Amino acid sequence: MKNSSRFFANKECEYYPCHKSDVDLNCLFCYCPLYNLNCPGDYTIIEKGDKKIKSCMDCTFPHNPDNYDTIMAILKKQ
């Protein structure tokens, strides 16, 4: 795969795929480095009592290899 250092799919993982998808998911950012940042992905905020929790259940942004450069740019700004 082109840019293989930017993509790998760990299909042996018991959690793969972690999201519903018709394409292979990139496992490079398995634990999203943008969770505590302003992520451009499709996340929602769930209110649980007096707490607000960021839910990434429907977000595949870090799993798309085309978003590698965007993620790295966001991280470099931190």
Side-chain angles (χ1 to χ4, degrees):
M1 170 177 256
K2 185 179 179 184
N3 297 322
S4 63
S5 64
R6 297 169 181 236
F7 178 90
F8 78 93
N10 184 5
K11 294 182 181 180
E12 299 300 317
C13 176
E14 67 181 291
Y15 301 107
Y16 188 89
C18 56
H19 299 278
K20 293 178 185 174
S21 177
D22 293 333
V23 297
D24 286 341
L25 296 176
N26 187 1
C27 300
L28 183 62
F29 298 114
C30 175
Y31 292 97
C32 183
L34 305 179
Y35 181 80
N36 290 321
L37 304 174
N38 186 13
C39 174
D42 187 25
Y43 65 89
T44 57
I45 301 296
I46 299 172
E47 292 191 31
K48 192 136 181 146
D50 61 344
K51 295 181 181 179
K52 292 184 179 181
I53 302 168
K54 186 177 184 180
S55 171
C56 305
M57 287 182 60
D58 296 323
C59 180
T60 58
F61 186 83
H63 300 293
N64 181 337
D66 293 335
N67 294 333
Y68 177 88
D69 290 326
T70 302
I71 292 169
M72 295 308 292
I74 292 170
L75 293 175
K76 286 178 183 179
K77 290 180 183 178
Q78 299 304 307

